[in-house]
């Protein structure tokens, strides 16, 4: 900011009204300038004290002349100004993802699972809606009394970015719903760019010397996430609506009914969507879509199939973050051939050595691929892959590309790839236990590769979810010697100034990182367990453990006790439904290593670990209780009963013990019912259970 030399400014209490007006205008501009320098450019020009003095002066003058307070007064902005990003918006109902299938067998399994869950006969009709799976980005639009009030990206599923102003510029987003509308409704759909619009946009970008987009999906995402809505307005974006989230009144009883309502309200619904009578019709639909795919003017990567009957959808519910009532049947992988230049070994979080092919970069279905997975030692041998070979690679969905096969006669002189028996990172012995395909580094916590991978996992979204603590940051801080274990993450606050001084950082990003870390000192037990990165303890198993043991100290004590083979704690652990003896052994192994327990205790001292089963669940009469189902249930299937019980915070186990709270007995009960009687446990009929679990 250039400034002419000025006389010392008059004191606020000696200032005239005319001077005050001019001074408030000057202060507004000067403070806005420093806000930008600090928050957007990350390059403050004055000390915090000098900045505070400017704000204090502004406030003092405003206090004397309230009539002169400007619409753009700095005092209207509290503390930190918008940090150059979007505000967060919480979805009234979470936005979920979909499970994928890739072939007729996968789809048949989906249908069979649905029937099993609902207790339907194998051939019973299953009405589905098939919709092209648009390759764009999903958004959530909120309408109040028919008026579009706000819209957000999917984000992490619970909250997304507020892109309302940008969505208002898209023609196919109705500002008002046509005809009668509920008081409140969320509409979900996909924002995308047509192939033709994408090509034209890239041509224009190139002419203007701007960066090019890799594919229509990236172009749509980049265009919607613009801070200046005028840029979004200049980009040709479209929307197909395909679902309803929260609604103050039910708009229909079937999914196809939903789609009709969406059309009537003025949304574009994909015209290729079809109501299908059964799987045979679905398979025919899939084949038709795969054949027609290339001729469409927008990218699709598969077909989404949804159970049409919303009452059935309701019963089926969700598992993890995906509905049981829908699946995405992806198109076959896109393939290409290229030359394999080298084989590199990656060391994972659990020490697994994974061979990765370094490739001559090649375009596979619109994505430039330069690496592909070779899975493991045996696969390399089976496919006889050698350096210098021309190989067939493929991309299936979002997973890492894979080497499928060697495709050409190889040049002479290529040698077999010899898999090393030492870790390429730390040099420790790499062992392959008999019967396993994976060779693992035995370096454990002394292997830097494992430490870094474990820390990345620890901070990742489903674990501690620390914003800004991704793989690059973890590797950087590890290399700096600041992170040798997860507890060190919570000691980074003391290094804020050092972080800020690093290249590529700065005061704002350092502060944001420290804030993000502090925000995660309180952590639910299931996320905590998952974050530890114990083999085979994924999100689902971590949830099962957290539900079962509820409190961190109880879990810790029981796991230590379970290290003794044959102990009661070990038996109990192995009999949690979904855990089993093999996983119990994995947990016991983890707790046998004193360094792991030390790390755990170090973390526990720094964190507030929240017990499992809270909120609505905790209110349920069955929350935290251990339940066994036995005999034939009549009004629901086993999986349905189990899912419902778990959703209410109960633990479902297979075997009856004195720790069991309820034994629900269906028709033809066997030994479990007898044992329950002997132990004097509370035995419930199916009807009594339904009442207790509030299954109406
Ligand atoms: S339904 C719970 N329908 O696919 C149901 N999703 O893999 C969730 N998508 O995040 C979505 N076309 O971005 C649905 N016709 C369609 C879709 C569709 C594309 C995307 C959407 C979602 C992702 C899940």
């Amino acid at each position: 900011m250039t400034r002419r030399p000025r006389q010392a400014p008059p004191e606020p209490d000696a200032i005239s009204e005319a001077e005050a007006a001019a001074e408030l205008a000057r202060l507004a501009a000067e403070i806005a300038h420093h806000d930008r320098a600090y928050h957007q450019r990350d390059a403050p020009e004055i000390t915090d004290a000098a900045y505070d003095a400017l704000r204090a002066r502004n406030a003092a003058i405003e206090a004397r002349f309230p009539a002169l307070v400007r619409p753009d007064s700095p005092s209207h902005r509290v503390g930190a100004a918008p940090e150059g990003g979007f505000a967060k918006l919480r979805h009234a109902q979470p936005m979920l993802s979909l499970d994928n299938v890739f072939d007729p067998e996968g789809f048949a399994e989906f249908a069979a699972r649905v029937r099993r869950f609902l207790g339907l006969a194998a051939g019973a009709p299953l009405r589905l809606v098939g919709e092209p799976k648009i390759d764009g980005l999903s958004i959530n639009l909120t309408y109040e009394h028919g008026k579009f009030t706000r819209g957000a990206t999917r984000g992490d599923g619970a909250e997304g970015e507020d892109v309302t102003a940008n969505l208002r510029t898209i023609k196919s987003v109705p500002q008002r719903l046509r005809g009668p509308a509920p008081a409140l409704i969320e509409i979900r759909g996909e924002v995308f760019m047509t192939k033709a619009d994408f090509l034209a946009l890239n041509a224009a970008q190139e002419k203007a010397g701007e960066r090019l987009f890799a594919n229509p999906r990236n172009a749509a995402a980049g265009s919607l996430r613009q801070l200046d809505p005028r840029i979004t307005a200049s980009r040709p974006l479209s929307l197909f609506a395909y679902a309803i989230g929260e609604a103050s009144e039910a708009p229909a009883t079937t999914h196809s009914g939903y789609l009709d309502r969406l059309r009537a309200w003025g949304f574009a619904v994909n015209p290729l969507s079809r109501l299908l009578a059964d799987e045979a019709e679905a398979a025919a639909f899939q084949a038709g879509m795969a054949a027609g795919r290339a001729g469409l003017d927008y990218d699709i990567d598969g077909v989404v199939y949804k159970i049409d009957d919303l009452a059935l959808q309701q019963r089926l519910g969700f598992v993890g973050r995906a509905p049981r009532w829908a699946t995405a049947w992806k198109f076959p992988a896109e393939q290409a051939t290229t030359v394999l230049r080298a084989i590199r070994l990656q060391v994972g979080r659990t020490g697994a050595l994974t061979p990765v092919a370094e490739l001559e970069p090649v375009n596979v279905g619109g994505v430039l691929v330069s690496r592909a997975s070779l899975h493991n030692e045996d696969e390399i041998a089976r496919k006889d892959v050698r350096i210098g070979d021309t190989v067939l690679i493929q991309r299936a969905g979002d997973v890492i590309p894979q080497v499928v096969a060697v495709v050409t006669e190889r040049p002479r002189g290529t040698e077999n790839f010899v898999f090393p028996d030492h870790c390429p990172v730390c040099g420790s012995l790499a062992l392959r236990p008999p019967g396993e395909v994976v060779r693992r580094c035995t370096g454990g916590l002394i292997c830097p590769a494992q430490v870094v991978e474990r820390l990345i996992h620890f901070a990742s979204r489903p674990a501690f979810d620390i914003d800004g603590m991704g793989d690059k940051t973890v590797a950087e801080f590890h290399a700096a010697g600041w992170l040798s274990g997860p507890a060190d993450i919570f000691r980074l606050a003391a290094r804020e100034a050092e972080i800020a001084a690093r290249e590529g950082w700065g005061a704002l990003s350092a502060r944001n990182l420290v804030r993000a870390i502090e925000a995660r000192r309180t952590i639910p037990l299931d996320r905590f367990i998952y974050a530890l990165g114990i083999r085979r303890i994924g999100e689902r198993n971590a949830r099962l453990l957290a539900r079962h043991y509820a409190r961190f100290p109880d879990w810790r004590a029981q796991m230590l006790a379970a290290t003794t083979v044959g102990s009661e704690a070990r038996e109990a652990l192995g009999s949690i439904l979904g855990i089993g003896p093999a996983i119990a052994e994995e947990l016991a192994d983890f707790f046998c290593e004193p360094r792991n327990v030390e790390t755990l205790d170090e973390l526990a001292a720094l964190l507030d670990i929240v017990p499992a089963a809270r909120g609505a669940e905790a209110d349920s009469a069955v929350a935290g209780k251990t339940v066994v189902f036995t005999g034939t249930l009549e009004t629901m299937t086993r999986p349905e009963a189990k899912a419902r019980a778990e959703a209410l915070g109960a633990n479902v186990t297979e075997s009856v013990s004195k720790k069991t709270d309820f034994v629900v007995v269906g028709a033809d009960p066997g030994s479990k019912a007898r044992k329950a009687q002997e132990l004097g446990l509370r035995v419930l009929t199916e009807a009594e259970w339904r009442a207790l679990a509030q299954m109406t």
Side-chain angles (χ1 to χ4, degrees), residues 511-523:
R511 184 171 308 173
N512 282 344
L513 178 65
V514 167
R515 269 196 211 137
I517 294 170
E518 292 310 308
R520 294 294 183 266
R521 273 192 198 265
T522 302
I523 187 93

Side-chain angles (χ1 to χ4, degrees), residues 96-98 131-134 137-138 154 190 242 304 306 323 325:
L96 301 144
S97 53
L98 287 170
E131 299 168 359
K133 185 167 190 297
I134 312 294
L137 70 153
S138 51
R154 177 171 183 274
E190 201 85 352
Y242 52 63
V304 183
K306 305 173 181 174
W325 44 263

Side-chain angles (χ1 to χ4, degrees), residues 21-277:
E23 184 66 356
L24 287 176
R26 188 189 70 78
L27 283 167
E30 186 165 0
I31 291 170
H33 167 82
H34 290 302
D35 281 342
R36 279 194 301 275
Y38 184 85
H39 291 295
Q40 286 167 24
R41 291 199 304 277
D42 208 3
E45 296 169 5
I46 55 172
T47 62
D48 285 357
Y51 175 81
D52 290 344
L54 287 176
R55 288 191 80 110
R57 179 173 169 76
N58 186 71
I61 299 173
E62 284 182 348
R64 268 197 70 204
F65 301 102
L68 297 183
V69 174
R70 302 168 56 86
D72 64 347
S73 162
S75 47
H76 293 161
R77 281 175 274 133
V78 186
E83 300 187 355
F86 294 98
K88 290 273 199 268
L89 259 187
R90 185 156 277 276
H91 310 306
Q93 254 185 42
M95 292 180 80
L96 301 144
S97 53
L98 287 170
D99 277 339
N100 296 324
V101 301
F102 297 95
D103 45 33
E105 294 74 42
F107 189 72
E109 256 171 56
F110 158 74
R113 228 179 7 252
V114 167
R115 287 205 181 85
R116 255 199 322 275
F117 194 96
L118 297 172
L120 300 175
L126 204 59
R127 274 154 72 92
L128 296 154
V129 175
E131 299 168 359
K133 185 167 190 297
I134 312 294
D135 205 4
L137 70 153
S138 51
I139 45 124
N140 185 26
L141 307 166
T142 303
Y143 289 82
E144 292 173 53
H145 300 287
K147 237 176 94 189
F148 174 53
T149 52
R150 57 189 178 276
T153 59
R154 177 171 183 274
D156 64 2
E159 57 177 27
E161 290 175 322
D162 182 347
V163 287
T164 311
N166 296 350
L167 288 165
R168 285 195 196 284
T169 71
I170 301 178
K171 276 201 291 295
S172 42
V173 172
Q175 296 302 308
R176 268 193 168 283
L177 301 180
R178 271 203 309 256
L184 173 90
I185 191 155
E186 288 182 327
I187 311 287
R188 273 89 193 260
E190 201 85 352
V191 168
F192 66 97
M193 197 178 280
T194 65
K195 292 178 189 169
D197 284 338
F198 160 72
L199 292 174
L201 172 63
N202 257 1
Q205 292 280 108
E206 188 163 20
K207 221 165 145 196
E210 302 278 345
R211 80 184 174 101
L212 300 188
F213 295 102
N215 53 45
R217 206 205 89 81
N218 286 353
S223 301
L224 188 64
R225 298 184 67 257
Q226 288 287 337
L227 287 175
D228 182 352
R230 283 171 303 185
I231 300 183
T232 308
S234 75
R235 302 277 174 82
L237 293 172
S238 313
L239 169 85
F240 276 135
Y242 52 63
I244 289 177
E246 178 78 10
S248 56
E249 60 197 77
T253 58
T254 57
H255 182 71
S256 44
Y258 267 174
L259 297 184
D260 292 339
R261 290 301 300 268
L262 289 172
R263 276 190 209 96
W265 280 325
F267 289 97
V269 170
N270 193 305
L272 302 171
S273 301
R274 284 286 173 281
L275 186 58
L276 306 160

Side-chain angles (χ1 to χ4, degrees), residues 313-359:
Q313 284 193 10
Q314 175 86 21
R315 277 180 65 193
L316 286 157
F318 303 89
V319 54
R321 301 172 71 146
R324 285 197 191 82
W325 44 263
T327 194
W329 186 346
K330 295 288 195 76
F331 293 132
E334 310 207 63
Q335 300 187 324
T337 57
T338 187
V339 175
L340 186 147
R341 284 186 188 150
I343 296 178
R344 207 168 45 82
L345 289 159
Q346 242 174 22
V347 184
R349 170 165 62 82
T350 57
L353 265 47
T354 307
V356 177
E358 305 262 342
L359 307 166

